[in-house]
Amino acid sequence: MNKINIVLLTKDINYANYFSNFMMNPNNDDKFLSKIFTDPETFKANTRNKKQHILLTDIEIPDDDILAFDRVIILSEDQHTYSNESLTIYKYQPLKELLSQVLAIYYEANGKLNPIVNNKEKEQVVSFYSGSGGVGKTLFSLCLAKHLAIQSKRVFYLNLEELHTTNLYFKQEKPSSAEVFYYLRNNKEQLVGKIESLKSRDSLTNIDYFSLPILPEEMQQSTEEDIATLIQALRETQNYDYIIIDLDCSIHERNVTALGNSDEIIWLLSTDETSFTRTQNIFNNDLLDLGEDRSKIHFVLNKVSDTLFDGFNGFNFSIETHIPFNSRWLQLSEEAKMQEDTHVGEQLHKLLKEFNATEVSILGS
């Protein structure tokens, strides 16, 4: 993934050590590449004509010495200082909040991150959908997310269900991320920078997510623009290999927009006639604005047993993966199912890899 080059120049040795210790923590080094200087001449010798993203400094330096930086942000000792216009922030605040403000200033001023180092393939947005409820979308989406995280992929799990059940899988108490709705509707320009401070990370799986209370009205009121903005903001952080979106089975415009902005769609079917019929009706009437092209839709049949319903073969769905019925899971909590899984996530990842390999082969032929 792209990391942001950030250089600190300060004569304050204690602050330099404080900043260095924070950035050396493995939990804080996944977004930035940092260099720290306490001597202006050493700084000048090591940064002249070497393109960098951001300079943080609390001292005055000649204009010629900052030409290599996209943005120079001043560290002020005034506690009430924070200005995107003058590129100034308060020096002595907690570094997590300081770096969040740095991101907000950088993205608002520069737009998308200029790729300087560590070329990164485009992140994949994978949505989970079904024509009917209770087929395992949330469990499967998190099984895939967990499997990807185990493979050292950076994953963001975005639940857009009207009544989500994220708390069944991520048990730790986390600060609320509900403020994301404010930025979506009132301050879109700062959303990319704010994601860093609004997200939570599950300590067991290393999956990032928004810790949202149950807010049916917020989800109901989410517009096409809101959802498109949120997905784009997650993309523009350039912090993730995969963005996994968990959708409910409604045809609300938030689902339509999420599916339209997805690179791949995993569509779950259960082994009953209702699931197939509802899915067929959605396609026959194009209720999700998917059109004729189904190339990015992958049908997955869940809870497969020895027999299927009469008339199964009359439905024209190209099912790519069959997940067998697991009787043991009847006795487990949702969290235990996700943590125990070694099959579902692997199968779904294999499905995506096979499709991408085929697509590359076609494009290269």
Side-chain angles (χ1 to χ4, degrees), residues 95-108:
L95 283 179
K96 181 177 180 180
E97 283 73 21
L98 182 146
L99 292 172
S100 176
Q101 291 179 3
V102 167
L103 284 174
I105 289 174
Y106 184 84
Y107 283 123
E108 184 168 350

Side-chain angles (χ1 to χ4, degrees), residues 158-164 181 185 212-223 226-227 230 248 252-254:
L158 176 62
N159 192 308
L160 295 179
E161 295 179 296
E162 186 175 312
L163 294 170
H164 72 79
F181 292 108
R185 290 158 193 170
L212 295 172
I214 305 296
L215 298 169
E217 289 187 1
E218 293 286 5
M219 289 301 181
Q220 291 167 2
Q221 294 170 10
S222 294
T223 65
D226 292 337
I227 300 304
L230 181 56
D248 57 33
H252 189 279
E253 64 179 300
R254 71 178 179 281

Side-chain angles (χ1 to χ4, degrees), residues 3-20:
K3 293 188 178 184
I4 295 177
N5 283 354
I6 185 168
V7 174
L8 171 67
L9 172 61
T10 178
K11 293 182 179 180
D12 186 337
I13 302 297
N14 290 332
Y15 190 81
N17 290 332
Y18 167 58
F19 193 92
S20 175

Side-chain angles (χ1 to χ4, degrees), residues 317-351:
F317 297 122
S318 178
I319 297 172
E320 298 179 45
T321 301
H322 295 70
I323 306 296
F325 175 70
N326 185 348
S327 60
R328 171 174 161 71
W329 277 11
L330 295 174
Q331 306 166 11
L332 300 181
S333 69
E334 295 302 297
E335 181 187 26
K337 294 175 189 176
M338 176 188 68
Q339 295 295 345
E340 178 187 87
D341 174 62
T342 58
H343 175 69
V344 173
E346 182 180 15
Q347 287 297 106
L348 296 176
H349 187 205
K350 181 180 178 182
L351 180 157

Side-chain angles (χ1 to χ4, degrees), residues 267-304:
W267 191 301
L268 262 64
L269 295 161
S270 63
T271 55
D272 63 80
E273 190 173 9
T274 299
S275 175
F276 279 72
T277 300
R278 287 174 63 91
T279 298
Q280 189 67 68
N281 289 337
I282 289 171
F283 281 102
N284 286 346
N285 297 285
D286 199 17
L287 299 179
L288 293 171
D289 197 24
L290 296 170
E292 296 293 327
D293 184 12
R294 298 189 188 181
S295 61
K296 67 179 180 180
I297 300 173
H298 309 281
F299 291 107
V300 174
L301 186 60
N302 188 22
K303 302 179 182 177
V304 178

Side-chain angles (χ1 to χ4, degrees), residues 56 73-91 93 97-109 183 187 189-194 197:
L56 282 177
I73 300 176
I74 305 302
L75 296 171
S76 169
E77 297 190 4
D78 181 353
Q79 187 170 359
H80 301 291
T81 297
Y82 173 58
S83 171
N84 282 33
E85 295 180 1
S86 62
L87 304 183
T88 305
I89 57 179
Y90 177 48
K91 176 179 177 179
Q93 62 182 303
E97 283 73 21
L98 182 146
L99 292 172
S100 176
Q101 291 179 3
V102 167
L103 284 174
I105 289 174
Y106 184 84
Y107 283 123
E108 184 168 350
Y183 285 99
N187 204 343
E189 295 78 11
Q190 289 193 24
L191 179 59
V192 174
K194 285 294 181 181
S197 61

Side-chain angles (χ1 to χ4, degrees), residues 51-326:
K51 189 64 176 174
Q52 311 281 346
H53 286 122
I54 298 168
L55 171 64
L56 282 177
T57 186
D58 54 8
I59 64 177
E60 289 189 20
I61 54 177
D63 290 344
D64 288 349
D65 292 342
I66 61 176
L67 294 177
F69 294 90
D70 287 344
R71 283 294 174 268
V72 177
I73 300 176
I74 305 302
L75 296 171
S76 169
E77 297 190 4
D78 181 353
Q79 187 170 359
H80 301 291
T81 297
Y82 173 58
S83 171
N84 282 33
E85 295 180 1
S86 62
L87 304 183
T88 305
I89 57 179
Y90 177 48
K91 176 179 177 179
Y92 297 112
Q93 62 182 303
L95 283 179
K96 181 177 180 180
E97 283 73 21
L98 182 146
L99 292 172
S100 176
Q101 291 179 3
V102 167
L103 284 174
I105 289 174
Y106 184 84
Y107 283 123
E108 184 168 350
N110 285 57
K112 197 168 184 177
L113 176 65
N114 294 325
I116 292 177
V117 295
N118 299 337
N119 289 335
K120 168 184 178 295
E121 293 183 2
K122 179 176 176 288
E123 62 288 321
Q124 273 199 301
V125 177
V126 182
S127 283
F128 280 73
Y129 186 79
S130 177
S132 53
V135 299
K137 291 187 305 297
T138 297
L139 176 60
F140 276 32
S141 62
L142 284 167
C143 285
L144 174 61
K146 188 198 76 169
H147 176 80
L148 292 169
I150 290 173
Q151 308 303 311
S152 299
K153 304 297 185 182
R154 287 299 314 276
V155 183
F156 194 98
Y157 168 73
L158 176 62
N159 192 308
L160 295 179
E161 295 179 296
E162 186 175 312
L163 294 170
H164 72 79
T165 54
T166 306
N167 60 309
L168 296 181
Y169 301 89
F170 301 143
K171 297 288 190 179
Q172 306 105 324
E173 289 293 325
K174 299 288 186 179
S176 172
S177 305
E179 196 177 356
V180 70
F181 292 108
Y182 165 79
Y183 285 99
L184 269 177
R185 290 158 193 170
N186 300 288
N187 204 343
K188 292 180 173 64
E189 295 78 11
Q190 289 193 24
L191 179 59
V192 174
K194 285 294 181 181
I195 285 174
E196 191 70 18
S197 61
L198 292 174
K199 73 180 184 183
S200 292
R201 176 171 294 176
D202 177 59
S203 61
L204 295 177
T205 61
N206 283 329
I207 297 169
D208 286 354
Y209 67 103
F210 289 132
S211 178
L212 295 172
I214 305 296
L215 298 169
E217 289 187 1
E218 293 286 5
M219 289 301 181
Q220 291 167 2
Q221 294 170 10
S222 294
T223 65
E224 177 181 346
E225 182 182 2
D226 292 337
I227 300 304
T229 298
L230 181 56
I231 295 171
Q232 185 61 26
L234 287 168
R235 284 185 184 273
E236 289 189 7
T237 65
Q238 298 194 4
N239 204 23
Y240 298 103
D241 301 298
Y242 290 88
I243 299 165
I244 308 295
I245 305 180
D246 185 4
L247 304 170
D248 57 33
C249 61
S250 74
I251 54 174
H252 189 279
E253 64 179 300
R254 71 178 179 281
N255 292 333
V256 175
T257 304
L259 293 172
N261 283 272
S262 298
D263 301 302
E264 312 292 344
I265 299 168
I266 294 179
W267 191 301
L268 262 64
L269 295 161
S270 63
T271 55
D272 63 80
E273 190 173 9
T274 299
S275 175
F276 279 72
T277 300
R278 287 174 63 91
T279 298
Q280 189 67 68
N281 289 337
I282 289 171
F283 281 102
N284 286 346
N285 297 285
D286 199 17
L287 299 179
L288 293 171
D289 197 24
L290 296 170
E292 296 293 327
D293 184 12
R294 298 189 188 181
S295 61
K296 67 179 180 180
I297 300 173
H298 309 281
F299 291 107
V300 174
L301 186 60
N302 188 22
K303 302 179 182 177
V304 178
S305 58
D306 294 336
T307 60
L308 296 169
F309 63 88
D310 290 340
F312 170 81
N313 292 325
F315 289 90
N316 185 28
F317 297 122
S318 178
I319 297 172
E320 298 179 45
T321 301
H322 295 70
I323 306 296
F325 175 70
N326 185 348

